Amino acid sequence: MNTSIQDIADLSEFQEDNCKKFVDRIIKTNREVFMMSSLIEKQMCGYDLIKEIFSKCDVFLSQGTVYPVLYTLEGEGLLHAEYSKGDMRSKNYSLTLKGRKIAEKDIDDFSRALEQVSLLLKR
Amino acid sequence: MLKNTISGLDKILFDDIPKGSVILVTGAEGTLKSGLVFSMMANYISANDEHGLYVTLEQNIESHLRNMNSLGIREERGLHIFDYRDMRLEWMDSELDLIKTTEEVIDSYKEKYDNLTLFALDSLNALYSISDQENMRSKIYNFFSHLRDEELTSFLIMESAQSRISGQFSSSHQVEHFLADGTIELGMIEGSGGVKRYIQILKMRATKHAMEKHQIIISDKGLNILGPIY
Ligand SMILES: Nc1ncnc2c1ncn2[C@@H]1O[C@H](COP(=O)(O)OP(=O)(O)O)[C@@H](O)[C@H]1O
Ligand SMILES: [Mg+2]
């Protein structure tokens, strides 16, 4: 059977799509880690955070999945929120000391978990 | 049990509200809809090791709590309040699908607290008014199904003009009444002794309940349901 260039192109596109689908799912279910990771660098409001993760990871975390996480993390004392000066329209979140420690540990644990998973599959 | 959450509620509810029911709470403005639902939830949460989610579109968290405080109803740790203030300041309405967003908000809290058992939406009218009106009937149907799938006992507040004539719901909200497992109506009536607030259970599937309007008052210990009004 002849494999045309088109078939190969289709297959690699499929693989890319499929891979993207898995990445999408991983980021969405572990959005807490990705959100905290973004907040390590700078303080942001929900809107900025969604845009940032979209431009960095090409994954759109919808509003209904992001704001509840911000509020519960704030409630747990991991995030600190304040309205930006002169602009009551955006509430900026930054990591508290406790939040930063947990974020760093979570990022570490999460990365190791991903490595472990890929090792498991290579056996 | 929910029927123990408000003093006198057992005068109108003889069995408990079945878990996972979707209940409509209707009435005109100022008839204690928010107060009744929030106080049932807060008292339930404080007596049980469970979590609840109160989503408010009508008011932001601070003004909702001020309102509850004035009614003698206190905040409860496990009762999470979610408002759309930040979201609506940061995004344009056209960028938000509020029905889908509300479902995601519920799922997010459910992920975080696996013993989330109670949900309230204050109010359905507000949710509708800022949603894209296309295919509304199927959206409402799916929203109710979502609540049932999540096995949440849910209170959906629906503001109604005093337009219910002899048991006929205003036609615009028939879908909700049909889909809901129960309807609690709150209102005010003018009698010989002045204006009285009432609560009436119009429907509650699989539950023994009274039909009469009962007086409901605000005491310094919160809401209190007294005898039938006639
Ligand atoms: N301390 C109070 N004493 C008596 N009535 C009060 C008090 N605080 C608020 N109210 C009444 O409660 C009403 C608000 O109740 P609420 O549950 O918010 O009504 P709804 O949600 O149906 O609009 C007010 O309109 C007012 O009539
Ligand atoms: Mg209200």
Side-chain angles (χ1 to χ4, degrees):
Chain A
M1 217 172 54
N2 254 335
T3 319
S4 71
I5 292 182
Q6 188 54 47
D7 286 341
I8 296 170
D10 284 351
L11 183 66
S12 78
E13 197 170 290
F14 166 77
Q15 281 167 339
E16 206 167 284
D17 268 12
N18 206 33
C19 172
K20 169 99 180 60
K21 204 177 75 191
F22 282 121
V23 171
D24 237 79
R25 224 186 276 166
I26 292 169
I27 295 182
K28 282 179 177 161
T29 34
N30 298 283
R31 58 193 182 281
E32 214 174 279
V33 182
F34 286 84
M35 288 167 62
M36 288 202 291
S37 158
S38 299
L39 290 172
I40 284 186
E41 286 148 43
K42 57 172 187 282
Q43 59 164 18
M44 274 181 272
C45 66
Y47 178 90
D48 295 337
L49 198 52
I50 289 172
K51 293 275 145 128
E52 168 93 3
I53 290 174
F54 182 68
S55 67
K56 214 161 67 183
C57 314
D58 195 26
V59 172
F60 182 77
L61 294 178
S62 51
Q63 297 95 345
T65 68
V66 165
Y67 288 78
V69 172
L70 288 173
Y71 298 153
T72 47
L73 290 178
E74 184 190 356
E76 289 167 357
L78 306 193
L79 294 183
H80 167 77
E82 66 185 339
Y83 286 100
S84 35
K85 283 200 189 77
D87 178 15
M88 286 293 285
R89 292 173 67 82
S90 53
K91 198 170 168 192
N92 284 310
Y93 290 87
S94 54
L95 288 161
T96 59
L97 214 59
K98 180 180 162 197
R100 182 171 291 266
K101 275 192 197 136
I102 290 184
E104 280 162 359
K105 181 165 186 327
D106 274 4
I107 291 166
D108 205 50
D109 290 345
F110 181 68
S111 312
R112 280 194 296 123
L114 287 181
E115 281 163 24
Q116 262 182 42
V117 170
S118 76
L119 275 179
L120 284 176
L121 290 169
K122 275 185 189 132
R123 267 211 301 235
Chain B
M1 288 204 293
L2 277 163
K3 78 178 168 91
N4 299 338
T5 51
I6 287 176
S7 143
L9 190 57
D10 54 355
K11 293 191 181 97
I12 52 174
L13 266 180
F14 307 135
D15 296 330
D16 204 28
I17 297 176
K19 284 193 164 57
S21 300
V22 179
I23 315 289
L24 287 183
V25 178
T26 68
E29 212 186 325
T31 51
L32 300 179
K33 297 182 298 297
S34 304
L36 177 83
V37 171
F38 195 77
S39 113
M40 284 175 84
M41 290 173 87
N43 292 340
Y44 181 86
I45 298 296
S46 99
N48 297 272
D49 188 24
E50 293 171 23
H51 287 260
L53 173 64
Y54 191 98
V55 170
T56 163
L57 280 141
E58 295 271 343
Q59 297 176 289
N60 63 34
I61 295 178
E62 294 75 26
S63 78
H64 170 72
L65 284 176
R66 233 178 291 129
N67 187 28
M68 293 303 104
N69 248 319
S70 150
L71 293 166
I73 305 161
R74 288 197 310 151
E75 221 177 322
E76 201 55 53
R77 260 183 68 84
L79 179 51
H80 310 274
I81 312 171
F82 185 92
D83 70 12
Y84 286 89
R85 189 195 135 100
D86 298 331
M87 225 187 263
R88 297 194 66 205
L89 284 174
E90 293 167 14
W91 299 83
M92 287 186 296
D93 281 353
S94 61
E95 294 174 303
L96 292 168
D97 175 344
L98 274 217
I99 298 183
K100 177 176 148 273
T101 301
T102 305
E103 291 174 357
E104 290 171 345
V105 168
I106 295 170
D107 295 344
S108 296
Y109 278 90
K110 186 97 191 186
E111 257 173 57
K112 187 94 188 176
Y113 306 104
D114 51 351
N115 55 351
L116 185 87
T117 55
L118 293 181
F119 168 73
L121 176 68
D122 194 355
S123 65
L124 266 178
N125 316 58
L127 184 72
Y128 295 169
S129 71
I130 33 187
S131 293
D132 180 8
Q133 299 300 310
E134 212 178 314
N135 298 326
M136 213 45 180
R137 282 174 81 95
S138 76
K139 283 184 196 160
I140 296 168
Y141 180 82
N142 291 333
F143 183 65
F144 275 65
S145 304
H146 192 88
L147 297 174
R148 293 211 167 86
D149 291 344
E150 291 285 20
E151 296 177 346
L152 294 164
T153 303
S154 305
F155 296 95
L156 306 177
I157 293 177
M158 201 162 70
E159 195 149 299
S160 58
Q162 297 271 22
S163 64
R164 202 179 58 84
I165 311 150
S166 60
Q168 285 292 311
F169 297 113
S170 70
S171 58
S172 57
H173 290 309
Q174 270 169 359
V175 193
E176 292 82 349
H177 286 284
F178 172 72
L179 290 174
D181 301 298
T183 305
I184 300 176
E185 185 180 273
L186 292 163
M188 294 181 221
I189 35 176
E190 188 121 34
S192 49
V195 179
K196 283 179 180 158
R197 295 181 181 282
Y198 73 84
I199 178 170
Q200 182 179 27
I201 297 179
L202 298 176
K203 155 176 166 185
M204 195 64 71
R205 284 187 185 135
T207 313
K208 216 189 275 174
H209 65 88
M211 287 300 298
E212 299 82 17
K213 291 183 167 67
H214 279 61
Q215 190 178 2
I216 180 166
I217 58 161
I218 301 154
S219 74
D220 45 358
K221 277 179 256 137
L223 304 181
N224 192 357
I225 297 170
L226 311 176
I229 302 184
Y230 278 118

